[in-house]
Amino acid sequence: MAQLDDLMATRLGRRVSRRTVLRGGALAGASIAAFGLLAACGGDDDDEPTATTAPAATATTGGGAEATATTGGSGGEATATSGSSPEPTATTAAPAPTATTAAGGDVEMGGELIYALGNRFDTLDPTITTFSDVIRIAHHIFDPLVWQPTPGEFIPGLATVWEVAETADQYTFTLRDDVTFHDGSPLTADAIKFTYDRIIDPDTKSQVAFSALGPYSGTEVPDPQTAIVSFSRPYAPFLNSVSSTILAPLPPAVVEELGFDFGIQPVGTGPFMFDSYQTDTQVRLVKNPNYTWGPGFLNHQGPAYLDAITWRIIPEGATRLAALQSGEIHMMQNVPTQDVATVENDSKLEIINAVLPGSGWSMMNNVTRAPNDDLNVRKALQYGVDKEGLIQVVWQGLYKVSTSPLTSVTFAFDPSTADIYTYDPEMAGQLLDEAGWTLNGNVREKDGQPLVMGLYYRSDNPDFVALATYLQAQYAEIGIQIELNGLAQAGYFDAVRAGEHNLQFWWGPATDPDGVFRVFFHSSNADGGTNRNRYKSAEMDALIDEAAGTTDVERRRELYVELQHKALEEAIMVFFSEPSEMYAYQKDTVMDPYVTWAATVPLFHNTWLKS
Amino acid sequence: MAEALTREAAHAAALEQLKGRAARSLWRDAFSRLRRNRGAVAGAVIFLLIVVMAITAPVIAPHDPIKLNARNSLREPGREFWLGTDQFGRDILSRIIYGARISLMMGFVSVAISVTAGSLIGLLAGYYRGPIDMIAGRLVDVMLAFPGILLALVIIAVLGPNLRSAMIAIGISAMPIFIRVVRGSVLSLRNSEYVEAARVIGGRDARIILRHVLPNVLAPIIVLASLGVPAAIISGAALSFLGLGVQPPTADWGEMLSNGRSFLNRAWWLSTFPGLAIMVLVISINLLGDGLRDALDPRMRL
Amino acid sequence: MTRFLQQRLALAIPTILLTSVVVFLMLHLIPGDPASIYVGENQATPERLEAIREQMGLNRPLYVQYADYVWSAVRGDLGRSLQNDQPVTKIIRERLPNTFKLAAAAMVIAVILGVALGLLAALKHNTWLDTLSMSVALLGVSMPIFWLALLLILFFSVRLQWLPATSQPGLKGLILPAVSLAMLSAATLARLVRSSVLEVLRQDYLTTARAKGLPGRTVILRHAVRNALIPVITVIGLQFGSLLSGAVITETIFARPGLGKLVVDSIQNKDFPTVQGAILILATIYIVMNLLVVLSYALIDPRIRLG
């Protein structure tokens, strides 16, 4: 086990071990390819339509990486080629057989893993869902075209070889010829064409996959094993997109036959086959005995060790943990921070705590609405919050302070941002005085108007409620009155899309800085979109677009550092903390659980249960 | 003719006087029965103590219930914070003292809404019968068919989650039983001699309802209301659990209990004390309500 | 009897229709655009939102939507969920048994516990047993369900590891949720049984029966209990309805997929078809239950005539 940990640490830049906060930072810096997908949505946590927002339906030219971006490749021959290389690069498949597990010989076959999710979801069709939990399940029913074991490293999945046109608007995939769907039909390139065409059909109501496909214009199938996917303009993040099962090929015949019901009885190519689904209760998958195309970075590519996996949905955090403690389930996600200590003190349990790449918990200023249209007022909000205290109160001190739009494990994160705003209530007061807001009793006033800001948040999320409670009390100390508007999700979306808020929260992991800056600050997202700062600046747009289209890693890093400083200078958002994804499992039973580097997907291809 | 009228009037007046005396002594009897009921007296004392606590909250609370202090986060009960602190470093005891106000308000305002609206509809339906009664009857059917808390949930979804909506929602969903009971009582009174008499001498409907009908259905209304208050408090806590009750930073027992549940493993005091507070309040009002029922209307089955 | 049934059924239909109108109108009063919720935090252009609205059939006039809904409902089609595109009838069919089982188990516990406590209290009137039974009943109505449920889980699942914390198939998984759901009804029943038995005990015919020399126990069982049963049955009918929906919180805590939880989630997501379908079904069950209650009066007490 220890050996595996070390192995994974080297390969993934993070340790899967107790109490360790995992990092992928160093590696992420080493090679950033054109990813940027999986930018999960903001404004909510996992509790909801978390959606992976594709960074750019708008064109990002070039994409990030150099052709040489093969990294972390301690796995031997596994040549990894980043997607968006300017020259057409053909990559040959070569499984990485060197990664073996310490468990090697004494693996026990069979058993059924019971895994608890925290939230209900919409459909099991990965090309339609808006929930990241579905992607967790889909990684077992389906396979991606390519795998991305470490940031920017792409290795073969269903595709053995891929070729990217110089202009990054055409991708040619060569598929393995030995893959079959669970119904026995062979995987051919038609499946890719069918799946992608279906995604862009409005009747499919696809959200995340639709965004992930970007400016898709069509797929050609010259022969059964070759798919040529074309885009109407350069779309570098595409390889990152296809490294998730969001764009996994579906079996055309089955989908045609089932229609919408494909979402309740999916058929894929993955190591587990769909068995049963009770809406909002559980999904059961059974082992696919014919599976031989597992990802090269895992220790074996054949059929799974487990006979079955049951994914149970247990919404109440306390109950989920109780079920783990009482042995009803083997593993759970979304460990409430309140209970991390309990898990750590339980000798039978192990916790995985992984900082998420992308952006952390933050608060958007509506820069078009007074008083938040005033830079000094926004700066006062930056100086006026004690983030350590906030993290203590809301997350029991378990998260790290965030000082930049990017979390510290994300490519191009600039540590010097830590010095820009520190907790300094006096400075906040001065700034407010300068802005003309002077103290009158407990609340500041200007021209007889009190300094009031409406904070909008979803009242069904305890983290938001706690954050709001803390901030209201904290900002009262510098004379700002925060009006709390906790709304149910319906009212919330309407209010913030219409820009009725002064302030609102955001939470948004992503795998590429483009998935952060474009979502937060690009003017194309400013009118009712994700940029609820409603911030529009030609200069900012140009920087974001340039960074997304830059292939030189160092230049790209410089651009993102510049962007971080620009966002902070303008004090557009207040950044509070870096979130973690926390998993807990029975450490004497669950062997070799594997969590992917973006910390959102556990893979059970290799996992086995010790009796 | 004139003589007859006078005689009628005299008769009505006499009846009224008699009834008034009967009513007065009914209340006096009830009060003395209530005083002899040990449970009810205990309930009343505890309840009054809680009311006093709510009123004097700013004086007796040792700390500010809202001001937070991250350094005091999750302190165990001890010398400085008798009942410990919550994750925001706020004193649980002080929040319980202030929270009494919200819990009492939740109980009494919601019930006031159901009593007022329910009694009015019930009175009109029972007194006038006909189409009004028909409409009221359908209304009750529909509201009862909306099972339990669901009606409240829909109302809150329409009005937005906050204390005011919660009270309106609980008040409206508890209305049908008031309509039914009041209507039933009015029906049985409607044809009684003195109402008949009042009508014969040309009393206006409004006056008859207020002077003659209402006082006589007061007893069941009071009993129902006294049992409705604790139920409303419990419903309020349930709404807090669903995130639809009082919004921060207001101290409310239901909200405190609901917030404390995620700390059950780590800090038991967060949920235990507000939970006990709710129980004590609810028990005291129930005891008092039982006593009222025994005293006012011993045959009532509730 | 048949005429009575016809009458009641004739009354039930407008009630159900009226309920559906009320639900429909109230749901449309809830702020928020279902298409917007469906899209969530994803990027969505106004055109795309419009396309989704079109797909969901939400941009037609309200009365058209309602008429369409009723017409489909009459043919047994309650539409498709806006959240997951599954037929509402199918979702309800999946969930109803769960809720029904939970409510039934809770009812059984409530009746056993409630009648036992109530009888005990009444028969040992004014003794310490009376006080004790009524104190237990009082505790039952004074504890918020979710708190009780979590304490039960902590004690029986985590500490003792006797019972599962989440609902699993089989009886074992039903115990904790059913007990926590039953407490309120049990307490209500206990108080009711006590007062009705006490009342019956005071009445003359028991004195007569005793005077005739029947042994005390027979008197109580044959006369008192049977007469006390009528209000109890009324309340059981009423309580069953509230148990079905009172399950909202129990279902959330014990991760039981039932109708109550479904309605709460669907209200949040403004999923009209699902909320409407579920409430219609619950309303129908409620009405049927009440009909059964009234019918059962006649079985228990032949003196009661229906009509």
Short mmCIF file of all heavy atoms in Angstrom, two decimals, chain A residues 442-473:
data_model
loop_
_atom_site.label_atom_id
_atom_site.label_comp_id
_atom_site.label_asym_id
_atom_site.label_seq_id
_atom_site.Cartn_x
_atom_site.Cartn_y
_atom_site.Cartn_z
N ASN A 442 -23.34 53.05 13.88
CA ASN A 442 -22.69 51.80 13.50
C ASN A 442 -22.56 51.61 12.00
O ASN A 442 -21.79 50.79 11.54
CB ASN A 442 -23.46 50.61 14.07
CG ASN A 442 -23.31 50.54 15.59
OD1 ASN A 442 -22.25 50.89 16.12
ND2 ASN A 442 -24.36 50.11 16.25
N VAL A 443 -23.37 52.35 11.26
CA VAL A 443 -23.38 52.15 9.81
C VAL A 443 -22.88 53.41 9.12
O VAL A 443 -23.17 54.53 9.54
CB VAL A 443 -24.81 51.82 9.32
CG1 VAL A 443 -24.82 51.61 7.80
CG2 VAL A 443 -25.33 50.57 10.01
N ARG A 444 -22.11 53.21 8.07
CA ARG A 444 -21.61 54.35 7.32
C ARG A 444 -22.69 54.95 6.45
O ARG A 444 -23.62 54.26 6.03
CB ARG A 444 -20.43 53.91 6.45
CG ARG A 444 -19.18 53.69 7.27
CD ARG A 444 -18.08 53.08 6.45
NE ARG A 444 -17.00 52.69 7.34
CZ ARG A 444 -16.01 53.52 7.70
NH1 ARG A 444 -15.95 54.75 7.21
NH2 ARG A 444 -15.08 53.12 8.53
N GLU A 445 -22.50 56.23 6.16
CA GLU A 445 -23.49 56.93 5.34
C GLU A 445 -22.80 57.81 4.31
O GLU A 445 -21.67 58.25 4.51
CB GLU A 445 -24.37 57.83 6.21
CG GLU A 445 -25.49 57.10 6.89
CD GLU A 445 -26.40 58.08 7.63
OE1 GLU A 445 -26.24 59.32 7.43
OE2 GLU A 445 -27.23 57.60 8.39
N LYS A 446 -23.50 58.07 3.24
CA LYS A 446 -23.04 59.04 2.25
C LYS A 446 -24.29 59.70 1.69
O LYS A 446 -25.22 59.01 1.27
CB LYS A 446 -22.27 58.31 1.15
CG LYS A 446 -21.69 59.22 0.07
CD LYS A 446 -20.66 58.42 -0.72
CE LYS A 446 -20.66 58.69 -2.18
NZ LYS A 446 -19.69 57.83 -2.87
N ASP A 447 -24.33 61.01 1.73
CA ASP A 447 -25.50 61.77 1.29
C ASP A 447 -26.78 61.24 1.93
O ASP A 447 -27.81 61.08 1.27
CB ASP A 447 -25.66 61.71 -0.25
CG ASP A 447 -24.36 62.09 -0.95
OD1 ASP A 447 -23.63 62.95 -0.40
OD2 ASP A 447 -24.08 61.51 -2.02
N GLY A 448 -26.70 60.87 3.20
CA GLY A 448 -27.88 60.42 3.90
C GLY A 448 -28.26 58.98 3.62
O GLY A 448 -29.21 58.45 4.20
N GLN A 449 -27.54 58.33 2.70
CA GLN A 449 -27.85 56.93 2.39
C GLN A 449 -26.95 56.00 3.19
O GLN A 449 -25.74 56.20 3.22
CB GLN A 449 -27.60 56.67 0.89
CG GLN A 449 -28.55 57.39 -0.04
CD GLN A 449 -29.96 56.87 0.04
OE1 GLN A 449 -30.18 55.66 0.07
NE2 GLN A 449 -30.93 57.77 0.14
N PRO A 450 -27.52 54.99 3.83
CA PRO A 450 -26.67 54.04 4.56
C PRO A 450 -25.92 53.13 3.59
O PRO A 450 -26.37 52.92 2.45
CB PRO A 450 -27.67 53.24 5.39
CG PRO A 450 -28.97 53.35 4.66
CD PRO A 450 -28.94 54.68 3.96
N LEU A 451 -24.78 52.62 4.06
CA LEU A 451 -23.96 51.73 3.23
C LEU A 451 -24.49 50.30 3.35
O LEU A 451 -24.13 49.56 4.25
CB LEU A 451 -22.49 51.81 3.66
CG LEU A 451 -21.46 50.99 2.89
CD1 LEU A 451 -21.60 51.18 1.40
CD2 LEU A 451 -20.06 51.35 3.34
N VAL A 452 -25.37 49.95 2.43
CA VAL A 452 -26.02 48.63 2.49
C VAL A 452 -25.70 47.85 1.23
O VAL A 452 -25.69 48.40 0.13
CB VAL A 452 -27.56 48.80 2.58
CG1 VAL A 452 -28.24 47.44 2.67
CG2 VAL A 452 -27.94 49.65 3.77
N MET A 453 -25.40 46.57 1.41
CA MET A 453 -25.17 45.70 0.24
C MET A 453 -26.03 44.45 0.37
O MET A 453 -26.08 43.84 1.42
CB MET A 453 -23.70 45.27 0.17
CG MET A 453 -22.74 46.42 0.00
SD MET A 453 -21.05 45.80 -0.01
CE MET A 453 -20.19 47.36 0.13
N GLY A 454 -26.67 44.11 -0.72
CA GLY A 454 -27.50 42.89 -0.72
C GLY A 454 -26.66 41.69 -1.10
O GLY A 454 -26.07 41.65 -2.18
N LEU A 455 -26.56 40.73 -0.19
CA LEU A 455 -25.81 39.50 -0.48
C LEU A 455 -26.81 38.39 -0.79
O LEU A 455 -27.68 38.09 0.03
CB LEU A 455 -24.95 39.12 0.74
CG LEU A 455 -24.28 37.75 0.73
CD1 LEU A 455 -23.34 37.59 -0.46
CD2 LEU A 455 -23.50 37.52 2.03
N TYR A 456 -26.71 37.82 -1.97
CA TYR A 456 -27.64 36.76 -2.39
C TYR A 456 -26.95 35.41 -2.31
O TYR A 456 -25.81 35.26 -2.74
CB TYR A 456 -28.13 37.01 -3.83
CG TYR A 456 -29.17 38.09 -3.90
CD1 TYR A 456 -28.82 39.42 -3.69
CD2 TYR A 456 -30.50 37.79 -4.14
CE1 TYR A 456 -29.78 40.42 -3.73
CE2 TYR A 456 -31.47 38.79 -4.20
CZ TYR A 456 -31.10 40.10 -3.99
OH TYR A 456 -32.05 41.08 -4.02
N TYR A 457 -27.66 34.43 -1.74
CA TYR A 457 -27.09 33.09 -1.65
C TYR A 457 -28.21 32.09 -1.55
O TYR A 457 -29.36 32.45 -1.33
CB TYR A 457 -26.16 33.00 -0.43
CG TYR A 457 -26.85 33.27 0.88
CD1 TYR A 457 -27.33 32.22 1.67
CD2 TYR A 457 -27.06 34.57 1.30
CE1 TYR A 457 -27.98 32.48 2.85
CE2 TYR A 457 -27.73 34.83 2.49
CZ TYR A 457 -28.18 33.79 3.25
OH TYR A 457 -28.84 34.04 4.43
N ARG A 458 -27.84 30.84 -1.72
CA ARG A 458 -28.84 29.78 -1.66
C ARG A 458 -28.97 29.29 -0.23
O ARG A 458 -28.02 28.81 0.37
CB ARG A 458 -28.41 28.64 -2.57
CG ARG A 458 -28.31 29.14 -3.98
CD ARG A 458 -28.56 28.11 -5.00
NE ARG A 458 -29.23 26.96 -4.46
CZ ARG A 458 -29.17 25.77 -5.04
NH1 ARG A 458 -28.48 25.63 -6.13
NH2 ARG A 458 -29.80 24.76 -4.53
N SER A 459 -30.17 29.42 0.30
CA SER A 459 -30.36 29.12 1.71
C SER A 459 -30.39 27.63 1.99
O SER A 459 -30.40 27.21 3.13
CB SER A 459 -31.65 29.76 2.21
OG SER A 459 -32.75 29.21 1.53
N ASP A 460 -30.42 26.81 0.94
CA ASP A 460 -30.45 25.36 1.21
C ASP A 460 -29.05 24.78 1.32
O ASP A 460 -28.87 23.59 1.44
CB ASP A 460 -31.26 24.62 0.13
CG ASP A 460 -30.77 24.95 -1.28
OD1 ASP A 460 -29.90 25.82 -1.42
OD2 ASP A 460 -31.27 24.33 -2.24
N ASN A 461 -28.04 25.62 1.25
CA ASN A 461 -26.67 25.15 1.38
C ASN A 461 -26.05 25.70 2.66
O ASN A 461 -25.81 26.89 2.78
CB ASN A 461 -25.87 25.61 0.16
CG ASN A 461 -24.44 25.12 0.20
OD1 ASN A 461 -23.81 25.08 1.26
ND2 ASN A 461 -23.92 24.76 -0.94
N PRO A 462 -25.78 24.82 3.63
CA PRO A 462 -25.28 25.27 4.94
C PRO A 462 -23.98 26.07 4.85
O PRO A 462 -23.77 27.00 5.63
CB PRO A 462 -25.05 23.98 5.72
CG PRO A 462 -25.73 22.90 4.97
CD PRO A 462 -25.92 23.36 3.56
N ASP A 463 -23.11 25.72 3.90
CA ASP A 463 -21.86 26.47 3.77
C ASP A 463 -22.12 27.93 3.40
O ASP A 463 -21.49 28.85 3.93
CB ASP A 463 -20.95 25.83 2.70
CG ASP A 463 -20.22 24.61 3.25
OD1 ASP A 463 -20.21 24.44 4.48
OD2 ASP A 463 -19.68 23.84 2.44
N PHE A 464 -23.04 28.13 2.46
CA PHE A 464 -23.37 29.50 2.08
C PHE A 464 -23.98 30.25 3.24
O PHE A 464 -23.69 31.42 3.48
CB PHE A 464 -24.36 29.50 0.90
CG PHE A 464 -23.75 29.10 -0.41
CD1 PHE A 464 -24.48 28.39 -1.35
CD2 PHE A 464 -22.44 29.43 -0.72
CE1 PHE A 464 -23.93 28.02 -2.56
CE2 PHE A 464 -21.88 29.06 -1.93
CZ PHE A 464 -22.62 28.35 -2.85
N VAL A 465 -24.85 29.57 3.98
CA VAL A 465 -25.52 30.22 5.10
C VAL A 465 -24.48 30.63 6.14
O VAL A 465 -24.49 31.75 6.65
CB VAL A 465 -26.58 29.29 5.72
CG1 VAL A 465 -27.21 29.94 6.94
CG2 VAL A 465 -27.65 28.95 4.69
N ALA A 466 -23.54 29.72 6.42
CA ALA A 466 -22.51 30.04 7.42
C ALA A 466 -21.62 31.18 6.93
O ALA A 466 -21.30 32.10 7.70
CB ALA A 466 -21.67 28.79 7.71
N LEU A 467 -21.22 31.13 5.66
CA LEU A 467 -20.42 32.21 5.08
C LEU A 467 -21.13 33.56 5.22
O LEU A 467 -20.54 34.55 5.65
CB LEU A 467 -20.20 31.96 3.59
CG LEU A 467 -18.91 31.33 3.10
CD1 LEU A 467 -18.98 31.11 1.61
CD2 LEU A 467 -17.74 32.26 3.42
N ALA A 468 -22.40 33.55 4.85
CA ALA A 468 -23.17 34.78 4.89
C ALA A 468 -23.27 35.31 6.31
O ALA A 468 -23.09 36.51 6.56
CB ALA A 468 -24.56 34.55 4.31
N THR A 469 -23.52 34.40 7.24
CA THR A 469 -23.62 34.80 8.64
C THR A 469 -22.33 35.45 9.11
O THR A 469 -22.31 36.50 9.75
CB THR A 469 -23.90 33.56 9.52
OG1 THR A 469 -24.98 32.84 8.94
CG2 THR A 469 -24.25 33.97 10.94
N TYR A 470 -21.21 34.81 8.76
CA TYR A 470 -19.92 35.33 9.18
C TYR A 470 -19.66 36.70 8.57
O TYR A 470 -19.29 37.65 9.26
CB TYR A 470 -18.81 34.36 8.75
CG TYR A 470 -17.44 34.81 9.21
CD1 TYR A 470 -16.96 34.47 10.46
CD2 TYR A 470 -16.64 35.60 8.39
CE1 TYR A 470 -15.72 34.90 10.90
CE2 TYR A 470 -15.40 36.04 8.80
CZ TYR A 470 -14.94 35.69 10.06
OH TYR A 470 -13.71 36.11 10.49
N LEU A 471 -19.87 36.81 7.27
CA LEU A 471 -19.53 38.06 6.58
C LEU A 471 -20.40 39.22 7.08
O LEU A 471 -19.93 40.35 7.21
CB LEU A 471 -19.69 37.89 5.07
CG LEU A 471 -18.64 36.96 4.45
CD1 LEU A 471 -18.95 36.72 2.98
CD2 LEU A 471 -17.23 37.57 4.60
N GLN A 472 -21.66 38.92 7.34
CA GLN A 472 -22.53 39.99 7.83
C GLN A 472 -21.97 40.59 9.12
O GLN A 472 -21.87 41.80 9.26
CB GLN A 472 -23.94 39.46 8.06
CG GLN A 472 -24.91 40.56 8.43
CD GLN A 472 -26.26 40.01 8.82
OE1 GLN A 472 -26.37 39.07 9.61
NE2 GLN A 472 -27.31 40.59 8.26
N ALA A 473 -21.57 39.70 10.03
CA ALA A 473 -21.04 40.19 11.31
C ALA A 473 -19.69 40.88 11.11
O ALA A 473 -19.41 41.92 11.70
CB ALA A 473 -20.91 39.02 12.28
#
